[in-house]
Amino acid sequence: MSWIAPTMFWLLLLVPAVLLLWFLKIRRIETVVASTVLWKRALQDERVRSPFQRLIRNLLLLLQLLAVILAVIALARPEFGTMRYSSRLNLILLDVSASMNSIESDGRKRFEEARSKALQIIDDIAGERGVLIRFGTRAEALTPVTSRMNLLIDAVRRQEASSGLTAFPEALELALSIAKQDAVVPAAAEENVPIDDEEEILPPQIDARIFIITDGAVPRWDGGPIPVPVIVESVGEVSSNSGIVALAARREFSDEGDLRVVVEIRNSGDDPISGELKLLLDGEIALATQQRTLEGGERWTRSFALEGAGSHRLEARWIPQGGDGLALDDRAWLVASTPRSIQVARVGAKNVLLDDALAVLPSVEVKQIENVDQIDPETAGDEFDVIVWDRVVPDRLPAGPGHLVIGARPKRFWPEEVPVVQQPLLVGWRRDDPVLRYSELGPIDGTVIEARPLPLVPGTTSLAECREGALIARFSAQDVRGIVVAFDVLDSPWPLTPSFPFFIDGALRDLARIGGGIETGIRSGDLIEVVAGAGVTEARLASPSQETETDVPVLPGGVLRIAAGDELGIYEMKWRAGDRGEELWQKRSIPVNLLSSSESSIEPRPAIGLAGSETQQGDLVWTQTRRELWSWFLMAALFLMLAEWIVFHRR
């Protein structure tokens, strides 16, 4: 037997208090009498006047003492079969994501309520052990496993809600890993009790529970069963909110390189919200204010054409009338700059449709080469960023540049002949891949005269596929990388549609590792990485408000890497080589946005998705061998008190 709250044994001091009261109870008055013959009972009392004899023979006192002792034992919460040298572990998961910044009806942030609930939980688990895990963009344990509740309290009080997403699955995985590492093997409570060799040995058991303090705006848990109790503490009441959930831009295929900007605003609540949209270019209003009333659940997408040649900072502002629940999603930023030219070698016979698609792409310089032998494998990486192989491909692709192979098969990855398929039907493609982001592949669905769909092999990834294999695939090895189209584009209507130039543009920029000059940004807490090149000796990162400037470590190869802060806006990375003057700093702007439909949906969810969270059958062994006995002692104490009352009134 062991005790959950052994400090309650201090209450055994009530035993001498009861004895003291009992001694003080008897008060005899000295009286002179003529004879003691009629006072036989008094003589008996005189013989047993010793306090100890009186205690031994008094049933009422004995019942009272036993009741007090049993009540104290019940308060100490005895357990049978508990683990040796351990107490229950409490894992407190605290949500600090962007939605926790929502303003409630009383004017307080939602996170303040979450902090109060965390402090209440810590107060309730006094005498046990705990660990605090916060989850926003990342999940991290803020304390070790400890029984010192003041460490948990201090950690909770230091926390603030962030402006990032919700890494809930990672937090739950971290909590489960800590709980499993804490598991021990149940053993006999008495140290010297030998264990029978034939007795069944129990597997390691987890004596833990998980508290999740959140508003419920978290991704669904699709992991395995959770072998410990999960207690969800839901916070928040406000659900009305609208905000910017998407901001994107691309360069138009024109000599001026104008910008096409798309903004999407969503009302995630049930009530209508009116507001106005402003689009600012370098701090100046670029277009007239757009007024709109959004019904509950409505999405509003606006597309703008801006004269955006050169480098610019673009900001979208959504201004709801009277405000809304969450202000973090009412602004978004992007940076447009002039990208450097991509040097492209186009190898193969004349192809008017492919050449026209290459000709309309901005910042692309193309060199026409007819024969494969004219490409020098040793110098190709210095001359070209990308080589486009049209219906021809060498057995050995040059290392260095990216490769776009059309209507041919890179034999290094697919050495075997591939069967021809007539008019393959498209079953899907990766719409979120940078190469296909602006492409519509409907024109190749069942319209390609013939193709050679490629099977997936090590080092390859399908981008678009039919039942027989990949129609568009990536391939990558240690020194070679590229994209292959498994059919001749002249055998399809694809080159006659607008999506074909978008595909070529996306493929070239992906293979050349050069963006289109549009920085759509990252999210709070994500890594900012800039390849500044060799010779960099100093680098700094300025926050959007310019209030803080942080030194950035310079990694080998001139790589600058640091996590973005919680402040949303445009950060500025600057660096220099040697001790050059202030005016010779090189700079790059990086926008940090929220842009998340899940975080903008601030409606509290009392229940969260925990697929497969039912307790495993193996845990029943532990619950059967680990029983709290306090209720039995309490019942015995109450029974003795009842017996004492009956005896007292029958005397």
Side-chain angles (χ1 to χ4, degrees):
M1 182 185 297
S2 62
W3 314 90
I4 295 179
T7 56
M8 290 297 175
F9 282 119
W10 284 102
L11 295 176
L12 288 175
L13 293 176
L14 293 173
V15 172
V18 172
L19 292 174
L20 180 61
L21 291 175
W22 189 266
F23 288 143
L24 296 176
K25 179 180 178 181
I26 300 177
R27 293 289 185 270
R28 291 187 173 88
I29 300 175
E30 186 175 349
T31 303
V32 178
V33 296
S35 174
T36 60
V37 175
L38 302 176
W39 298 87
K40 185 177 180 181
R41 182 72 176 270
L43 290 174
Q44 291 176 350
D45 267 357
E46 187 67 24
R47 285 194 297 270
V48 295
R49 193 163 183 176
S50 169
F52 295 103
Q53 293 183 16
R54 188 168 17 139
L55 292 178
I56 293 173
R57 297 192 178 188
N58 197 296
L59 178 60
L60 288 177
L61 176 62
L62 180 61
L63 293 176
Q64 291 174 0
L65 291 177
L66 287 176
V68 170
I69 293 173
L70 290 175
V72 171
I73 292 176
L75 291 174
R77 296 179 63 185
E79 288 185 331
F80 175 78
T82 54
M83 295 181 292
R84 196 179 297 168
Y85 308 126
S86 73
S87 63
R88 181 164 50 187
L89 174 61
N90 300 273
L91 301 115
I92 305 173
L93 277 59
L94 184 60
D95 188 350
V96 297
S97 61
S99 62
M100 299 296 285
N101 287 283
S102 302
I103 303 299
E104 296 297 327
S105 56
D106 59 359
R108 297 195 311 160
K109 280 187 179 180
R110 181 173 293 177
F111 184 74
E112 295 180 33
E113 181 185 352
R115 186 191 290 120
S116 299
K117 287 204 172 188
L119 294 175
Q120 182 60 51
I121 290 172
I122 295 172
D123 183 62
D124 293 341
I125 64 173
E128 301 181 358
R129 296 174 301 142
V131 60
L132 179 64
I133 298 174
R134 60 170 273 164
F135 60 98
T137 303
R138 296 183 303 275
E140 53 184 329
L142 301 177
T143 66
V145 175
T146 179
S147 58
R148 297 173 58 189
M149 296 296 108
N150 61 313
L151 292 181
L152 298 175
I153 293 172
D154 292 343
V156 169
R157 288 176 174 168
R158 290 194 301 267
Q159 298 310 304
E160 293 291 342
S162 69
S163 57
L165 303 184
T166 311
F168 172 67
E170 292 84 347
L172 202 49
E173 288 177 0
L174 176 59
L176 290 175
S177 67
I178 295 174
K180 291 175 182 177
Q181 291 174 10
D182 191 71
V184 299
V185 177
E190 300 180 15
E191 295 288 342
N192 298 323
V193 175
I195 299 177
D196 189 355
D197 293 338
E198 298 182 357
E199 183 178 350
E200 181 182 0
I201 299 177
L202 297 176
Q205 301 294 318
I206 301 175
D207 186 25
R209 55 182 173 177
I210 297 176
F211 293 91
I212 304 175
I213 308 173
T214 178
D215 57 3
V218 298
R220 178 180 173 84
W221 166 259
D222 291 322
I226 301 175
V228 298
V230 177
I231 304 167
V232 179
E233 295 286 351
S234 180
V235 297
E237 295 178 356
V238 172
S239 61
S240 178
N241 182 56
S242 61
I244 301 172
V245 297
L247 175 64
R250 60 174 173 81
R251 295 284 185 185
E252 297 282 27
F253 296 147
S254 63
D255 294 336
E256 295 79 12
D258 292 340
L259 288 172
R260 172 64 63 177
V261 182
V262 178
V263 182
E264 182 177 336
I265 300 172
R266 180 192 175 199
N267 178 2
S268 59
D270 297 327
D271 301 325
I273 296 179
S274 298
E276 56 181 353
L277 173 65
K278 291 184 179 180
L279 205 61
L280 286 75
L281 194 65
D282 298 326
E284 301 292 334
I285 295 180
L287 291 173
T289 300
Q290 302 288 312
Q291 301 281 345
R292 183 68 180 240
T293 297
L294 301 178
E295 300 297 330
E298 181 182 354
R299 292 177 180 264
W300 179 39
T301 303
R302 289 286 289 119
S303 177
F304 305 96
L306 302 178
E307 295 181 0
S311 298
H312 300 281
R313 294 186 173 198
L314 186 70
E315 179 184 350
R317 291 183 185 175
W318 169 248
I319 308 173
Q321 293 180 3
D324 57 10
L326 183 64
L328 287 178
D329 58 0
D330 292 338
R331 301 174 69 185
W333 300 261
L334 61 79
V335 176
S337 59
T338 303
R340 75 169 179 84
S341 297
I342 302 175
Q343 302 299 317
V344 177
R346 213 284 283 169
V347 184
K350 187 174 181 61
N351 185 335
V352 176
L353 297 179
L354 178 58
D355 293 340
D356 287 346
L358 291 169
V360 301
L361 301 180
S363 304
V364 173
E365 297 181 5
V366 182
K367 181 178 181 180
Q368 301 284 346
I369 300 176
E370 292 188 1
N371 297 321
V372 175
D373 298 337
Q374 293 178 257
I375 297 291
D376 185 354
E378 303 299 328
T379 62
D382 298 327
E383 296 182 52
F384 307 109
D385 296 307
V386 181
I387 301 177
V388 179
W389 306 93
D390 182 25
R391 293 167 289 179
V392 293
V393 65
D395 293 339
R396 177 175 173 266
L397 292 171
H403 301 276
L404 177 57
V405 183
I406 300 175
R409 184 182 83 255
K411 295 182 180 179
R412 174 174 176 177
F413 296 88
W414 293 278
E416 304 292 336
E417 285 290 336
V418 179
V420 174
V421 176
Q422 304 291 331
Q423 297 180 320
L425 296 175
L426 195 63
V427 296
W429 70 87
R430 298 197 175 189
R431 300 173 185 269
D432 58 344
D433 191 274
V435 175
L436 301 178
R437 184 170 298 163
Y438 301 109
S439 297
E440 173 60 45
L441 298 188
I444 68 172
D445 185 12
T447 61
V448 178
I449 297 176
E450 62 179 27
R452 296 179 182 271
L454 301 168
L456 292 183
V457 295
T460 65
T461 304
S462 174
L463 297 182
E465 57 187 339
C466 61
R467 291 186 179 87
E468 293 78 12
L471 294 176
I472 304 175
R474 287 185 185 272
F475 57 87
S476 176
Q478 185 174 4
D479 56 345
V480 174
R481 56 191 171 80
I483 296 171
V484 56
V485 178
F487 57 89
D488 185 352
V489 295
L490 296 177
D491 287 342
S492 75
W494 193 21
L496 303 177
T497 66
S499 70
F500 185 67
F502 284 115
F503 167 76
I504 297 297
D505 181 64
L508 295 182
R509 298 197 180 281
D510 182 80
L511 294 172
R513 295 176 176 171
I514 298 175
I518 307 296
E519 289 277 1
T520 55
I522 59 176
R523 289 191 168 99
S524 169
D526 288 346
L527 283 178
I528 296 176
E529 182 174 290
V530 175
V531 182
V536 175
T537 57
E538 184 180 4
R540 298 175 189 169
L541 180 69
S543 65
S545 62
Q546 302 295 318
E547 293 181 355
T548 60
E549 199 170 78
T550 307
D551 291 333
V552 180
V554 181
L555 303 179
V559 177
L560 312 177
R561 187 179 299 150
I562 191 172
D566 277 336
E567 185 180 355
L568 300 180
I570 298 179
Y571 287 74
E572 189 172 82
M573 179 83 76
K574 61 180 183 179
W575 65 92
R576 65 179 176 179
D579 54 355
R580 298 178 182 177
E582 186 72 22
E583 69 279 359
L584 295 178
W585 285 85
Q586 299 185 60
K587 300 178 181 180
R588 179 176 169 184
S589 300
I590 303 100
V592 176
N593 295 311
L594 179 57
L595 298 179
S596 170
S597 296
S598 60
E599 293 300 324
S600 292
S601 301
I602 65 173
E603 179 182 1
R605 303 166 180 82
I608 60 178
L610 293 174
S613 61
E614 52 274 358
T615 304
Q616 293 178 334
Q617 187 67 23
D619 297 330
L620 297 179
V621 177
W622 181 240
T623 56
Q624 290 170 359
T625 59
R626 181 177 180 271
R627 298 175 180 173
E628 293 190 12
L629 305 177
W630 65 269
S631 59
W632 294 97
F633 285 93
L634 183 60
M635 291 174 60
L638 293 175
F639 175 78
L640 289 176
M641 292 177 64
L642 178 63
E644 191 268 348
W645 183 84
I646 294 174
V647 171
F648 177 80
H649 285 277
R650 294 187 64 181
R651 290 185 58 178

